[in-house]
Amino acid sequence: MDERSDPEKATRAAARYLRELYEIFGDWNLALASYNAGEGRVSRAMERYGANDFWTLSRVSNLAQETRNYVPMIHAAIVVAKAADRYGFDIAPDPVLTYDTVPVKGAVDLRVIAECVRTGVSTVQSLNPELRRLATPANRTFRVKVPEGKGEELTGCLETLPAEKRVAFRTHVVGRGQSLASIAKRYGARAGDIASANGLGSGKRLARGAELIIPVKAGAARDLAAGTRTAVHHHIRLGDTLHALAQRYNTTVADLRSWNNLTGTLLAAGNTLTIYTIR
C-alpha cells in the first residue's frame, strides 16, 4: 500500500508537514524551500551564509537551482489561481468526488468488494489508489471507499460473506530464476493479471523472495452473501471426474478448477475439493 497515491491523504500529509516546517523556520518561504530541498539542507545553508530569509539565501547560497525556482513558482501559481482569466487560463474545476467509506478488517479481494456493491473493480481501484495490490491490507482495518450510497450494501454483504470467499487469490514467494510467465503457468493464470494485481509494470524483473498475490476467479460473492450458495467439501473418490462433479453440484468445470486452483483436469483420490453450490 502506498498512501502517497491517495490525493486526499497525500494533500493532508503535505499540509501537516508544511505546518511543521513553518513552526521550525517561522517563515513560509523558508518552509517551502525546506519542503523541496529538505529542512537540514536549508538550515545548514542559513547557518553557513548567515541568511535568515529565502530571497537572500537564494542569492548567496549554493541551494540547488530547482529549490531557487520552486518558491517563486509556488507564488506564481497562487497569483494565477486567484485570477486565472486575467492570465488567459480557462479553468473548469473537476466535480467533487463523493463516496462512502466502510471499515474492512483484514485482506478482502477488491473484486469481491466490487461484486458486493455491483460495480466494476476498476471503479473500486480508482477510489482507492493507495492500494497497490488487488486486496485490502492484511492484519489491519482499512477504510475502503465505494461509490456513494453503496456503503451499507458493502457492510451487509461482508457481514454474511463466508471467510473463504473474502479472498480470491493465493500468495507465492518468488524463487530463483522465476518470471511472471513461469509463475502464471504454474497457477494456470495470466501473467498480465498477476502483474496488474501486484502493481508491476511490463518487463518488471522479480526479486527473489518477493511475495506476489496470484488472482483466481472471485465469483459468486453476492450469491453467497444472499445465501443462495453454500460451500461444501467433496472428498474425491476413485473414478470422480470434474465433469461429473460439475453436473452433480450444478456448476461448471471452470468454476471447480478456479475454486480449487487446479491447473489440469486430473483428480487424486483422497483429496478434498471446495465447491460453492446453489442451495
Side-chain angles (χ1 to χ4, degrees):
M1 185 171 69
D2 185 354
E3 293 187 320
R4 294 173 300 178
S5 298
D6 183 295
E8 181 178 345
K9 292 178 180 177
T11 300
R12 292 185 183 277
R16 286 194 299 269
Y17 182 43
L18 276 172
R19 169 60 68 176
E20 291 173 5
L21 291 172
Y22 176 76
E23 292 174 355
I24 292 172
F25 293 98
D27 180 275
W28 282 114
N29 289 327
L30 291 173
L32 288 169
S34 299
Y35 185 87
N36 179 258
E39 58 198 80
R41 181 169 297 176
V42 171
S43 294
R44 289 191 296 271
M46 291 173 63
E47 183 177 353
R48 179 177 179 181
Y49 295 98
N52 293 317
D53 68 275
F54 169 75
W55 307 111
T56 301
L57 194 66
S58 180
R59 289 195 303 270
V60 302
S61 75
N62 61 348
L63 283 179
Q65 189 64 46
E66 176 187 332
T67 303
R68 296 182 187 185
N69 292 338
Y70 182 78
V71 175
M73 287 171 62
I74 295 296
H75 281 276
I78 293 172
V79 170
V80 171
K82 287 181 176 180
D85 294 342
R86 182 186 303 175
Y87 296 98
F89 290 92
D90 183 13
I91 299 176
D94 290 335
V96 176
L97 185 63
T98 57
Y99 49 80
D100 291 350
T101 59
V102 177
V104 174
K105 187 176 182 180
V108 179
D109 195 305
L110 298 188
R111 293 170 299 172
V112 172
I113 291 174
E115 195 173 352
C116 280
V117 298
R118 292 173 291 181
T119 191
V121 67
S122 60
T123 298
V124 176
Q125 289 177 308
S126 67
L127 288 172
N128 301 274
E130 67 270 46
L131 297 178
R132 311 303 290 178
R133 294 185 173 187
L134 201 62
T136 56
N139 304 318
R140 60 168 288 188
T141 297
F142 178 81
R143 296 190 67 83
V144 173
K145 302 183 190 74
V146 293
E148 188 175 24
K150 296 289 188 178
E152 291 186 3
E153 195 171 341
L154 176 59
T155 299
C157 179
L158 293 180
E159 284 177 351
T160 55
L161 190 66
E164 63 268 22
K165 288 302 293 178
R166 282 176 164 251
V167 177
F169 58 79
R170 299 184 65 182
T171 59
H172 175 84
V173 177
V174 178
R176 182 178 180 182
Q178 288 188 324
S179 64
L180 281 176
S182 65
I183 294 170
K185 183 177 180 180
R186 173 176 176 178
Y187 290 100
R190 294 190 301 181
D193 290 342
I194 297 175
S196 176
N198 292 275
L200 301 174
S202 59
K204 175 75 172 181
R205 294 188 64 180
L206 301 180
R208 183 180 180 182
E211 184 178 282
L212 300 178
I213 61 174
I214 313 298
V216 296
K217 184 178 179 181
R222 281 184 287 109
D223 288 343
L224 286 162
T228 57
R229 285 182 179 267
T230 186
V232 298
H233 301 288
H234 176 86
H235 296 283
I236 300 172
R237 299 173 182 173
L238 192 65
D240 278 348
T241 66
L242 287 177
H243 179 72
L245 293 176
Q247 289 187 322
R248 176 177 172 181
Y249 289 102
N250 192 24
T251 186
T252 66
V253 170
D255 280 342
L256 290 176
R257 293 177 62 185
S258 174
W259 293 332
N260 295 276
N261 301 306
L262 302 175
T263 57
T265 58
L266 296 179
L267 300 177
N271 288 346
T272 301
L273 295 178
T274 299
I275 303 172
Y276 298 94
T277 183
I278 298 175
R279 289 182 176 179

